[in-house]
Amino acid sequence: MHTFQFSRPKDAATAVATAAQAKTAQQGADVRFLAGGTTLIDLMKLNVEAPARLIDINRLPLDQIEVTPDGGLKIGATVRNSDLAHHPTAQRDYAVLSQAILAGASAQLRNMATTAGNLLQRTRCVYFRDTAMPCNKREPGTGCPAITGSNRTLAILGTSDHCIATNPSDMGVAMAALEATIHVQGPKGSRAVPISEFHLLPGNTPQRETVLEPGDLITHVTLPPPLAGSRQVYLKLRDRASYEFALASAAVVIRIDGGNVTRARIALGGVATKPWRSPEAEAALVGQPANQANFRQAAESALRDARPQSENGFKIELAKRCLTHALQMAATS
Ligand SMILES: Cc1cc2nc3c(=O)[nH]c(=O)nc-3n(C[C@H](O)[C@H](O)[C@H](O)COP(=O)(O)OP(=O)(O)OC[C@H]3O[C@@H](n4cnc5c(N)ncnc54)[C@H](O)[C@@H]3O)c2cc1C
Ligand code: SF4
């Protein structure tokens, strides 16, 4: 049976100093932060994760949601997904975020799951979760059986010859469209990382999923002030209506003035190895009339570089229709 040491520090500095003893960064590290536990404990039960030490961060004062002086939002790392989704400011000004969170998991899971934990949840690739199988992400250098095997739910954007795992987060996709910033406290001090730079593409190091270094603790996430007059939609397509991960999803934040799209921030989920912001779709939309033909054109641009595998080619058209429909929903909202 796997045994581990457990601590429950009251301050972030102690948590960071303890975690800094890890040999690697958070993913697969021997010293790990424990937040809601809905990813980590799950994977420990499967023997996919086997940390020697767990640092419970639930006593740290990181569970507040505050409006910032510039009119943005500061979300503590241990804010529960339910509390964020139902927060009045999130519902009013960041509806895409509230919708994305409520489209994920189940009410019980959202009551436990935290902001930082959600951003760091790990792939649902079946080979990753089965220690009898090789997997480059779990054991670097062992191979990627998904490429020739079961890949229906896996990624078509941002993949490499070493890993095609989908990033499963819904919340992260909305945060990508909202241009969130992730705030990290580490052994060398604090830093702020734009979400676009936080998750790494798999390349030839799929075991490394984010820019976090040993000891790095996410303390909070900030959102810039809401885009005035924007219309926001999160649309998630999946095999069943609830309690299922996305096959394709779209987070849309657009502004329409005089019938033309004047601002657009678009991100895709369920189809990529990280929350996938699409500057191609945004460029195709801005300055154009807000109509079905242009929405479809933007979707074509977003999926231009898609690289399907044996079982997931259907995701290209699914993602295009998802984004087109999400834009249509936003335009008519
Ligand atoms: C059955 C099931 C269905 C689900 N369906 C969905 C879905 O449809 N959509 C979706 O988006 N998600 C879904 N999820 C995933 C769920 O959202 C995540 O498990 C959850 O958000 C993780 O948060 P947590 O606080 O429980 O993380 P934990 O399990 O506590 O931690 C996850 C990882 O983050 C690290 N960590 C946690 N906090 C910090 C911090 N502050 N700084 C640095 N590292 C930290 C931990 O060390 C660990 O590596 C589902 C999960 C389950 C079990
Ligand atoms: S896709 Fe990634 S996570 Fe899945 S088996 Fe391949 S290397 Fe492992």
Side-chain angles (χ1 to χ4, degrees):
M1 198 176 103
H2 176 62
T3 56
F4 53 85
Q5 281 186 300
F6 184 81
S7 61
R8 230 175 166 219
K10 281 189 192 154
D11 62 277
T14 306
V16 168
T18 310
Q21 296 164 24
K23 291 189 263 311
T24 58
Q26 276 294 300
Q27 289 84 31
D30 52 339
V31 187
R32 304 292 286 278
F33 297 124
L34 176 68
T38 62
T39 287
L40 187 54
I41 301 292
D42 211 15
L43 293 174
M44 287 171 70
K45 287 189 212 159
L46 294 170
N47 284 324
V48 172
E49 305 252 25
R53 190 158 185 174
L54 286 187
I55 305 165
D56 183 344
I57 58 170
N58 287 289
R59 282 213 298 196
L60 305 184
L62 302 175
D63 60 351
Q64 298 299 307
I65 302 173
E66 299 160 54
V67 176
T68 56
D70 68 352
L73 203 63
K74 177 180 175 187
I75 307 157
T78 59
V79 167
R80 305 290 153 179
N81 286 178
S82 302
D83 292 334
L84 179 54
H86 294 294
H87 191 274
T89 307
Q91 287 183 320
R92 189 189 62 227
D93 295 337
Y94 304 98
V96 67
L97 177 61
S98 184
Q99 291 168 23
I101 293 171
L102 292 176
S106 63
Q108 291 90 338
L109 282 159
R110 294 193 295 267
N111 285 342
M112 286 303 293
T114 62
T115 307
N118 194 318
L119 287 168
L120 295 170
Q121 66 175 286
R122 309 205 69 188
T123 184
R124 310 303 288 194
C125 173
V126 291
Y127 303 104
F128 174 74
R129 293 170 66 86
D130 181 351
T131 55
M133 300 300 294
C135 167
N136 281 331
K137 188 184 276 298
R138 182 167 31 75
E139 282 182 63
T142 55
C144 175
I147 289 175
T148 51
S150 177
N151 53 47
R152 178 177 176 271
T153 61
L154 299 187
I156 52 175
L157 289 165
T159 59
S160 75
D161 292 341
H162 302 275
C163 182
I164 56 169
T166 315
N167 182 299
S169 175
D170 291 297
M171 187 197 79
V173 179
M175 284 191 172
L178 291 169
E179 300 186 322
T181 299
I182 296 163
H183 298 261
V184 177
Q185 182 175 338
K188 296 178 200 151
S190 299
R191 63 191 196 280
V193 186
I195 192 167
S196 58
E197 296 167 20
F198 182 75
H199 296 95
L200 301 174
L201 294 174
N204 56 13
T205 53
Q207 73 279 10
R208 195 151 158 62
E209 294 172 357
T210 69
V211 297
L212 292 181
E213 297 289 345
D216 280 349
L217 173 75
I218 297 176
T219 52
H220 59 281
V221 173
T222 51
L223 302 178
L227 185 59
S230 65
R231 304 156 189 242
Q232 304 184 14
V233 166
Y234 186 75
L235 179 63
K236 177 175 178 179
L237 305 182
R238 47 192 156 169
D239 280 328
R240 58 183 178 194
S242 76
Y243 201 33
E244 186 54 278
F245 291 90
L247 288 171
S249 71
V252 165
V253 179
I254 56 168
R255 189 172 154 155
I256 298 172
D257 296 294
N260 285 347
V261 178
T262 51
R263 298 284 294 274
R265 294 187 203 147
I266 307 293
L268 301 177
V271 288
T273 52
K274 59 182 262 186
W276 196 259
R277 178 93 181 258
S278 179
E280 298 86 358
E282 295 169 7
L285 283 168
V286 173
Q288 302 299 320
N291 61 33
Q292 181 81 9
N294 289 329
F295 296 159
R296 175 72 194 194
Q297 193 51 49
E300 295 286 345
S301 305
L303 274 297
R304 191 173 297 135
D305 295 331
R307 192 174 152 207
Q309 306 295 335
S310 57
E311 296 179 345
N312 65 4
F314 75 97
K315 280 193 173 191
I316 297 178
E317 181 60 22
L318 190 72
K320 287 179 186 174
R321 291 187 189 191
C322 183
L323 177 53
T324 306
H325 195 61
L327 286 163
Q328 193 66 39
M329 287 168 71
T332 53
S333 64

